[in-house]
Amino acid sequence: MKNWASMLAGTALALVLPAAAQAAGELHLYNWTDYTAPELIAKFEKETGIKVSIDTYDSNETALAKLTSGASGYDLIVVSNDFVPIFVQQGLFEAVDVAAMANFKNLDPEWQKRSWDPDAKYSVPWVWGTTSYSVDTAVYKGPHDSLKLLFEPPPELQGKIGMFGSPSEVMSLALVYLGKAQCNTDPADLKAVDALLEAQKPFVKVYNSDGTVERQVSGETAMHQQWSGKAEATRQQKSTVTYVYPKEGVVGWMDNVAVPKGAPNLENAKAFLNFLMDPQNIALQSAFSGYQTAVTGSNKLLSAELGSSPEFNPPKNLKITFAPACPEKATRAYDRIWTRLRQ
């Protein structure tokens, strides 16, 4: 009996170990579309032996709905700064004590304590940039120094506009244009935003956060709400496209990498977070996406072309509004405006 029991135990162990080893070699990432540098993933896989798989989404709202549904299975997720507190408040993130990780010292002191994660308990900075719009100056030759061009377009741009498919991003930029506070619940201000977007709607060809570069390069859109890095990628393929720094200002954002609650490969997720805070590693993501990082020394590893590009270097006097996480009352108001807009 003893020998038989030992044999059974040995068989069971043999069955369990390969599965455990296989699980230990996996990492499942949930990120924005076309937003993960292949070189970054290849380097991580080579150094760790961990196999990375990636699923993508098109808005923070989509990512939030995915995790709140309980159908996750992801080890890491990338979300914008204004959504980090929402995920934390809903108990959707693991506290992983990023501040205690070996490479945390590499973060620029400005970004070690972020208002959306002040103690660095949950997240590591991915990249940061600005949101404004790009316009094809071959189609429109007039002045482009204001958000008015995007929200109240002249005839030559009407029907050729692309806007993001994310309500929070559209609302944030509209509020900047109107000179109103973010996370707004004032009835008069919300009425003004609603009226602005409804008046713009007949001139908008598409509301979609994916494919922004391709649409402008092909000429499907002549003007598009745009992130700075995507604007740089567009200009590389179509030199007449210009990213606008409007006089009213722009929306600033930082995307952050966090671990969903119950992540099946928690230690692998932690290893990736620490990996990202190495300047040589995150520089690969910066070069791929065209956005700034929070890691000291990473910019020195970029090409001179990217490092000196206008999209990568906002003017020093530019007003940059980092939209905060909005309370539920504001979110519900935005949803009502968005639902009417998209009907």
Side-chain angles (χ1 to χ4, degrees):
M1 288 293 292
K2 185 177 180 181
N3 290 340
W4 180 246
S6 299
M7 188 182 301
L8 282 177
T11 303
L13 185 62
L15 290 172
V16 168
L17 283 177
Q22 185 178 10
E26 297 174 351
L27 186 71
H28 304 286
L29 172 64
Y30 195 37
N31 199 357
W32 294 81
T33 303
D34 192 29
Y35 197 36
T36 310
E39 299 84 358
L40 177 74
I41 300 304
K43 188 172 189 287
F44 179 75
E45 290 182 331
K46 183 178 180 180
E47 292 183 6
T48 65
I50 296 170
K51 178 65 177 176
V52 179
S53 60
I54 304 170
D55 284 347
T56 62
Y57 63 86
D58 63 353
S59 73
N60 288 294
E61 289 85 358
T62 299
L64 179 61
K66 182 81 167 184
L67 261 63
T68 53
S69 72
S72 172
Y74 297 113
D75 302 304
L76 293 167
I77 183 171
V78 180
V79 297
S80 300
N81 56 281
D82 53 330
F83 272 71
V84 170
I86 297 174
F87 279 76
V88 171
Q89 289 163 11
Q90 295 192 22
L92 298 173
F93 284 166
E94 291 279 1
V96 292
D97 196 8
V98 169
M101 294 181 177
N103 285 336
F104 183 74
K105 64 183 184 295
N106 295 329
L107 290 187
D108 187 310
E110 177 185 1
W111 298 117
Q112 288 184 358
K113 289 186 176 295
R114 290 151 281 144
S115 61
W116 49 90
D117 189 7
D119 299 317
K121 290 175 61 178
Y122 300 98
S123 65
V124 164
W126 182 244
V127 289
W128 71 270
T130 61
T131 299
S132 178
Y133 69 94
S134 290
V135 62
D136 190 342
T137 57
V139 176
Y140 174 75
K141 302 182 184 301
H144 47 272
D145 63 346
S146 171
L147 287 169
K148 182 175 183 178
L149 189 66
L150 179 67
F151 289 107
E152 302 179 55
E156 57 264 52
L157 291 171
Q158 293 176 5
K160 302 175 183 177
I161 301 171
M163 296 294 290
F164 287 161
S166 167
S168 59
E169 294 196 89
V170 173
M171 302 286 178
S172 292
L173 197 61
L175 286 165
V176 168
Y177 171 49
L178 295 172
K180 306 296 185 182
Q182 297 292 316
C183 295
N184 209 307
T185 58
D186 182 274
D189 290 350
L190 293 172
K191 185 176 180 180
V193 172
D194 192 11
L196 178 70
L197 296 179
E198 287 291 347
Q200 182 204 35
K201 180 178 178 179
F203 311 136
V204 175
K205 185 176 182 64
V206 61
Y207 293 93
N208 194 336
S209 301
D210 291 339
T212 58
V213 174
E214 293 79 3
R215 279 191 289 275
Q216 274 203 293
V217 170
S218 69
E220 181 183 349
T221 58
M223 182 166 58
H224 215 301
Q225 184 179 9
Q226 191 58 286
W227 301 292
S228 50
K230 291 294 186 181
E232 192 269 343
T234 306
R235 180 177 56 78
Q236 291 296 331
Q237 300 178 57
K238 197 171 190 177
S239 62
T240 55
V241 173
T242 297
Y243 184 63
V244 177
Y245 289 113
K247 59 187 178 184
E248 299 89 353
V250 298
V251 174
W253 50 264
M254 172 178 278
D255 284 328
N256 308 262
V257 193
V259 181
K261 198 76 171 178
N265 300 290
L266 179 59
E267 294 307 313
N268 292 348
K270 291 180 181 178
F272 190 83
L273 293 178
N274 190 59
F275 176 85
L276 288 177
M277 292 185 285
D278 182 290
Q280 292 192 352
N281 298 334
I282 198 62
L284 296 173
Q285 177 59 35
S286 184
F288 172 79
S289 62
Y291 297 113
Q292 295 271 18
T293 82
V295 178
T296 301
S298 64
N299 284 357
K300 298 177 182 178
L301 303 171
L302 302 176
S303 69
E305 183 179 26
L306 174 59
S308 61
S309 69
E311 299 88 356
F312 197 77
N313 296 281
K316 294 187 183 301
N317 62 347
L318 179 69
K319 180 183 177 182
I320 303 178
T321 300
F322 275 79
C326 292
E328 186 178 353
K329 184 178 179 181
T331 301
R332 287 200 306 267
Y334 290 3
D335 286 344
R336 287 193 294 270
I337 292 173
W338 188 255
T339 299
R340 286 195 299 271
L341 183 70
R342 300 306 308 276
Q343 286 177 345

